[in-house]
Amino acid sequence: MKGEIDEANLVPETSLINKENQDSSATTTTTLLLTTFVAVSGSFVFGSAIGYSSPVQSDLTKDLNLSVAEYSLFGSILTIGAMIGAAMSGRIADLIGRRATMGFSEMFCILGWLAIYLSKVAVWLDVGRFLVGYGMGVLSFVVPVYIAEITPKDLRGGFTTVHQLMICLGVSVAYLLGSFIGWRILALIGMVPCVIQMMGLFIIPESPRWLAKVGRWEEFEIALQRLRGESADISYESHEIKDYTQKLTKLSEGSILDLFQPKYARSLFVGVGLMVLQQFGGVNGIAFYSSSIFESAGFSSKIGMIAMVVVQISATGTCIGCFLVGLSFSLQFVKLLSGDASYLALAGVLVYTGSFSLGMGGIPWVIMSEIFPIDIKGPAGSLVTVVSWVGSWIISFTFNFQLNWNPAGTFYVFATVCGATVIFVAKLVPETRGRTLEEIQYSIGYVEL
């Protein structure tokens, strides 16, 4: 049966003759480090865009006289742009390559930040935020996919996690700087990582797996050798990728409708399910409007924002974090510990933020980049990413209204979703550690051995 493939037969037979050399590719070269740094500069752009709206909310609404609804539109229109970018990202990445797609997305981000910086009325704020969102939507697909495709199997988990780490770093820098500088200057600073990535793209190699997919075999060998080091023996990895790609060429190019075939059911359910749970766990409500949470709970927004920077890459328990915030509002409502309840809100947001950074922030993107074969990765990645941004828009647009309606209930719902995520991951998400992308997809049974 497809689901019971023997571990010894996970790799193509033509590659077994070189299996003793497979560990030689599991080295960290200067080219691999530089390439990853350039790629995750896009992740930093992602994070800084998410973090922008929270620290500037007070000053921006005051300067341009924005209502709650107008600011909610400004915050959430980022995700509308991201939905459109995500819907197109897979096809663009398949047509022009992973590297060119990152450059394409950064042009929109730069234009968007510039529009925000120059804005004097709400409509240009929204246009700028939308353009940044479009670029983000493309980046949210192509960056983790590119990193997964360039790294050896023994290093892939750590390197793809850097994507989430840089998102967290981008959010943290936006929070920190936004507490001390104006919203226009912060928008200008948002362009810096965009320019860094644009310049870096000229010196890094294309994804070897994409080059193999489009039949550019000589460039495939050169790119793989650059990434693994001039002295590395790439014969095993090269044979494996070639063999797998040649088998896929016998299949038709995947379309969005092909995703609903039975053989893709498990991967699609896992990919979509993780994105839904990630977003409805409340991440973008907290990330976009954390200063409002602190103010509503009676805590200093500036101190709260700085504290979030400190814990962005530590702590545990998104479920516990949301529960603590909900408990803070409940205690205020019944007038118990009203003076100290604000500290529960601070603790809850910090625990949630740190835990999300270490866990659910990165897991869905890593899994999405691993479980789909390259012939269907474009449409599959687009669909999964669109689902993520639809959920993000729902949460980011409605969050301020939910907070006004029932703050405690809002966070109890988020806590419940986070608790359900633990069960979902434990029961359904496959183990991918220590396997090449081809081995993962063979084990799921996409291509017969």
Side-chain angles (χ1 to χ4, degrees):
M1 294 177 64
K2 286 186 178 182
E4 299 176 352
I5 295 177
D6 184 60
E7 289 287 330
N9 295 321
L10 286 175
V11 295
E13 186 175 343
T14 56
S15 301
L16 292 176
I17 58 172
N18 294 305
K19 190 168 185 176
E20 66 273 11
N21 297 319
Q22 64 179 309
D23 291 336
S24 64
S25 65
T27 56
T28 305
T29 64
T30 301
T31 300
L32 182 61
L33 289 173
L34 176 62
T35 301
T36 303
F37 171 77
V38 172
V40 298
S41 295
S43 309
F44 189 93
V45 174
F46 188 148
S48 61
I50 291 174
Y52 179 81
S53 61
S54 183
V56 304
Q57 182 171 357
S58 178
D59 290 341
L60 186 53
T61 52
K62 187 181 299 181
D63 286 353
L64 298 185
N65 195 28
L66 302 180
S67 65
V68 172
E70 286 175 324
Y71 196 79
S72 293
L73 176 61
F74 168 71
S76 64
I77 203 170
L78 179 87
T79 60
I80 297 175
M83 286 180 219
I84 299 173
M88 301 171 64
S89 59
R91 186 59 62 187
I92 294 171
D94 283 347
L95 286 175
I96 67 175
R98 311 327 192 195
R99 189 175 58 177
T101 301
M102 286 186 278
F104 172 79
S105 66
E106 291 295 10
M107 290 189 293
F108 286 90
C109 291
I110 291 171
L111 287 173
W113 284 122
L114 190 60
I116 292 173
Y117 169 74
L118 296 172
S119 295
K120 296 186 184 300
V121 292
V123 65
W124 283 109
L125 277 177
D126 294 339
V127 169
R129 186 81 164 161
F130 177 86
L131 291 174
V132 173
Y134 178 86
M136 269 182 56
V138 178
L139 286 170
S140 64
F141 166 77
V142 72
V143 170
V145 166
Y146 177 73
I147 295 173
E149 290 180 352
I150 66 171
T151 49
K153 65 179 182 180
D154 294 331
L155 302 175
R156 191 178 65 247
F159 274 69
T160 49
T161 301
V162 176
H163 167 64
Q164 177 61 24
L165 180 62
M166 289 298 285
I167 293 174
C168 294
L169 185 60
V171 174
S172 296
V173 169
Y175 282 169
L176 184 61
L177 294 180
S179 298
F180 300 102
I181 64 176
W183 59 272
R184 292 188 190 275
I185 300 301
L186 189 60
L188 274 183
I189 293 173
M191 288 191 282
V192 174
C194 304
V195 174
I196 290 174
Q197 186 176 58
M198 289 279 283
M199 295 173 62
L201 291 172
F202 289 100
I203 60 174
I204 64 173
E206 180 56 87
S207 160
R209 285 178 169 87
W210 180 80
L211 291 170
K213 177 180 182 291
V214 296
R216 291 158 60 175
W217 297 109
E218 184 176 348
E219 293 172 71
F220 156 74
E221 293 279 357
I222 293 171
L224 188 61
Q225 192 72 67
R226 279 187 65 191
L227 289 165
R228 301 296 178 259
E230 293 302 319
S231 61
D233 182 357
I234 63 170
S235 56
Y236 170 81
E237 189 175 11
S238 176
H239 275 297
E240 184 180 25
I241 295 172
K242 284 182 178 178
D243 187 83
Y244 186 75
T245 304
Q246 287 166 355
K247 287 181 178 180
L248 285 177
T249 59
K250 299 175 184 177
L251 306 175
S252 60
E253 185 73 15
S255 69
I256 201 74
L257 295 178
D258 293 330
L259 289 176
F260 300 98
Q261 297 178 42
K263 64 179 178 179
Y264 299 125
R266 183 187 175 194
S267 293
L268 192 62
F269 185 70
V270 168
V272 170
L274 283 174
M275 292 301 185
V276 169
L277 290 167
Q278 180 196 60
Q279 294 304 327
F280 284 88
V283 56
N284 280 326
I286 292 174
F288 284 27
Y289 309 115
S290 51
S291 62
S292 293
I293 298 172
F294 293 132
E295 289 175 2
S296 298
F299 198 86
S300 167
S301 62
K302 285 192 179 295
I303 295 175
M305 299 302 294
I306 294 171
M308 284 184 69
V309 173
V310 175
V311 301
Q312 190 71 264
I313 54 174
S314 64
T316 183
T318 54
C319 179
I320 296 172
C322 283
F323 179 79
L324 289 176
V325 179
L327 183 60
S328 168
F329 286 112
S330 293
L331 291 175
Q332 288 187 52
F333 180 73
V334 298
K335 303 193 184 307
L336 291 174
L337 300 176
S338 58
D340 298 321
S342 62
Y343 290 95
L344 277 178
L346 174 66
V349 171
L350 298 185
V351 170
Y352 179 96
T353 304
S355 303
F356 186 86
S357 301
L358 289 173
M360 277 299 288
I363 287 174
W365 301 104
V366 173
I367 295 297
M368 179 272 291
S369 69
E370 295 176 332
I371 61 176
F372 295 109
I374 200 164
D375 67 314
I376 205 75
K377 187 172 284 186
S382 292
L383 176 63
V384 170
T385 310
V386 166
V387 168
S388 173
W389 286 115
V390 169
S392 179
W393 175 78
I394 292 171
I395 295 299
S396 61
F397 183 73
T398 62
F399 183 80
N400 280 326
F401 302 104
Q402 293 174 356
L403 201 61
N404 290 335
W405 170 65
N406 189 338
T410 297
F411 285 95
Y412 288 144
V413 170
F414 290 161
T416 301
V417 173
C418 293
T421 302
V422 176
I423 300 172
F424 183 90
V425 172
K427 297 293 185 181
L428 294 173
V429 176
E431 177 59 70
T432 60
R433 182 179 58 185
R435 291 180 172 184
T436 65
L437 299 183
E438 290 71 31
E439 288 170 348
I440 294 167
Q441 290 142 27
Y442 274 122
S443 70
I444 297 174
Y446 288 140
V447 177
E448 296 291 343
L449 296 178

